[in-house]
Amino acid sequence: MILQRLRLRNFRNFEDEVVDFPERGAALIGDNGQGKTNLLEAVYYLEIFRSFRGARDEQLITFGCGHFRVEAQISAGADGEEVEVAAGYAREGRRKKVTVEGHEPERVAEAIGRVGAIVFTASDVEIVAGGPGARRRFLDIMLSLVEPGYVTALQRYRQVLAQRNGLLRDDAGPSELLAWNAGLVNEGSRIAEARARWVSARAPSFTRYYGAISGDQEAGIEYSPSIPAPAGAESALAREAWAEAFHMEVERLAARERRRGVTLVGPHRDDLRFWVSGGPDAVGLRGFGSAGQQRSAAVALRLVEAETLRAAHGRRPIVMLDDVFAELDPLRAERVAELFTAEDWGQVIVTSPKPSEFAFMRDSLTEYRVLDGTVVPV
Ligand SMILES: Nc1ncnc2c1ncn2[C@@H]1O[C@H](COP(=O)(O)OP(=O)(O)OP(=O)(O)O)[C@@H](O)[C@H]1O
Ligand SMILES: [Mg+2]
């Protein structure tokens, strides 16, 4: 996918800015606090319709203004079809409006993933080193983009979970819970099955990318589900197998859940495990990895995400790298840059305060200067 043109209105520190991007890609150079990350945040907003930095929509509106709007012209290749994706948010009434080719979908969820973009940031290391919530968030965003029905299952699961937790807190009896258990198991098994399938399909890619970045060190990822992984989880009946296992676990934990007043099993308690050298029983990257190993794992994971998007859409995603090279030692930085060239990626948009940091990618990228909410070609 290629981002051709981006328009920002009252988005963060951009008042009214139009930027045309070359097909190969762009290098955005600018001092701290000038708007580099804000610009990438705007592009990715059109992919998932929320901030990748976890900011609330109203925080994205320029201070003192009432609404923001972001528009992008995307094409599926040099002579591919073009699509316009736009989004706006008004403080008043907290109104969010999303359009694809000028048409508003019935639900925002229908429009996600249209841009086909992926963003690497320095804070991605939190996925590896932070709490399990960061890893579930990673899985959820990615699977929402590629897995039909995932986002709906997730929304329903969260609703059921909240209701069920409310009942458990209020000392509800087994019969009252029964009505909610079916929904919990139904939506939850769908989520667990999709997560398990993704990890088993993509774990070898993670190992390969990590090896390429680190100079052949071994690392891997492993799904660590809250529901005990059922036999037959790999088969065509995997969904049923997960549902059955979930159902049994809900029954087994019924008394304890009533005592504790909270739902103790389900995908809301899943984790994704990262390990280095010696297989899954060896060292966990979260607790024992060096900062550089954790960073390399985060980059490898994003590369796997890009591969996933590419497989799902049959198109190369727009890759955005937010000040990522500064985080890696020079050799690893160069290997990462090589990956993007060797594997024939599409459009790449990189940011950095220092142009020297991506000197090795410079030939293919047009340089822009970001200064106080403006973007000008150098
Ligand atoms: N809602 C908003 N309205 C106006 N300005 C905002 C808003 N939110 C953030 N900013 C401003 O945007 C700037 C930060 O922009 P951004 O995070 O894109 O910087 P950056 O160029 O990526 O810097 P760094 O190199 O430090 O990462 C800050 O000056 C901040 O005050
Ligand atoms: Mg930044």
Side-chain angles (χ1 to χ4, degrees):
M1 307 297 278
I2 293 159
L3 171 63
Q4 293 180 319
R5 166 172 283 201
L6 179 70
R7 175 150 194 232
L8 306 169
R9 284 274 296 157
N10 300 332
F11 186 92
R12 296 274 198 189
N13 66 336
F14 292 93
E15 250 171 58
D16 190 357
E17 198 66 13
V18 177
V19 192
D20 288 305
F21 289 92
E23 197 182 320
R24 292 292 301 279
L28 308 176
I29 302 155
D31 290 340
N32 298 139
Q34 300 301 309
K36 302 182 298 296
T37 304
N38 292 348
L39 188 144
L40 302 189
E41 187 181 35
V43 176
Y44 203 71
Y45 191 89
L46 296 175
E47 176 81 346
I48 62 170
F49 303 111
R50 52 196 174 111
S51 160
F52 74 71
R53 296 205 257 196
R56 282 175 288 111
D57 288 331
E58 54 263 32
Q59 290 174 271
L60 306 178
I61 306 171
T62 304
F63 303 140
C65 296
H67 58 89
F68 76 75
R69 183 169 166 82
V70 186
E71 296 168 18
Q73 196 71 42
I74 311 289
S75 83
D79 41 30
E81 64 184 279
E82 286 183 15
V83 59
E84 192 200 78
V85 185
Y89 180 82
R91 199 188 305 274
E92 202 185 303
R94 299 184 178 175
R95 266 181 305 113
K96 171 143 56 186
K97 183 172 175 182
V98 166
T99 57
V100 177
E101 285 295 275
H103 299 292
E104 197 174 353
E106 216 158 286
R107 287 152 14 97
V108 171
E110 288 166 34
I112 63 171
R114 290 302 295 263
V115 173
I118 161 163
V119 58
F120 293 64
T121 78
S123 54
D124 288 346
V125 72
E126 278 307 303
I127 302 173
V128 180
R135 288 179 284 285
R136 289 192 293 267
R137 187 176 138 85
F138 166 79
L139 287 169
D140 287 340
I141 292 174
M142 181 192 50
L143 290 172
S144 295
L145 295 174
V146 299
E147 183 79 23
Y150 188 89
V151 85
T152 316
L154 194 64
Q155 284 164 352
R156 288 194 192 137
Y157 182 79
R158 286 182 179 147
Q159 283 162 7
V160 174
L161 185 67
Q163 297 276 2
R164 195 173 183 274
N165 282 340
L167 286 169
L168 282 165
R169 250 193 325 271
D170 296 343
D171 289 325
S175 58
E176 280 172 275
L177 287 174
L178 205 59
W180 297 100
N181 289 354
L184 191 79
V185 165
N186 194 32
E187 308 303 341
S189 61
R190 184 170 169 74
I191 295 164
E193 188 275 326
R195 289 177 179 173
R197 182 157 37 83
W198 181 80
V199 176
S200 90
R202 299 291 168 189
S205 300
F206 176 84
T207 301
R208 184 166 52 83
Y209 282 128
Y210 189 91
I213 297 166
S214 66
D216 286 332
Q217 286 180 23
E218 205 196 350
I221 49 173
E222 189 191 36
Y223 182 36
S224 177
S226 159
I227 305 162
E234 307 280 322
S235 76
L237 296 173
R239 171 86 189 276
E240 286 80 351
W242 280 102
E244 174 77 19
F246 195 1
H247 180 75
M248 279 165 59
E249 200 65 358
V250 166
E251 300 222 307
R252 191 177 73 81
L253 295 170
R256 207 182 309 167
E257 282 190 335
R258 282 203 302 284
R259 269 201 312 279
R260 298 270 302 276
V262 67
T263 302
L264 292 171
V265 60
H268 63 291
R269 296 196 153 208
D270 279 356
D271 205 349
L272 187 63
R273 224 180 139 259
F274 292 79
W275 53 265
V276 270
S277 57
D281 296 329
V283 184
L285 261 178
R286 182 185 172 202
F288 300 100
S290 76
Q293 284 176 323
Q294 290 175 341
R295 255 174 236 139
S296 304
V299 173
L301 192 68
R302 288 290 184 205
L303 286 160
V304 179
E305 180 187 350
E307 185 187 271
T308 305
L309 251 62
R310 192 167 168 165
H313 302 321
R315 291 183 190 133
R316 300 176 300 190
I318 300 163
V319 172
M320 299 187 281
L321 303 166
D322 192 21
D323 214 353
V324 167
F325 294 111
E327 293 280 308
L328 296 164
D329 66 45
L331 194 60
R332 286 188 181 211
E334 203 169 325
R335 291 201 198 103
V336 170
E338 264 168 28
L339 277 173
F340 285 110
T341 7
E343 295 225 2
D344 180 33
W345 293 84
Q347 193 181 34
V348 181
I349 303 174
V350 301
T351 79
S352 174
K354 294 180 231 145
S356 58
E357 247 142 35
F358 41 79
F360 31 73
M361 296 178 99
R362 235 165 154 177
D363 295 345
S364 57
L365 306 177
T366 307
E367 286 179 30
Y368 293 78
R369 179 151 294 278
V370 181
L371 183 66
D372 195 16
T374 61
V375 186
V376 258
V378 174

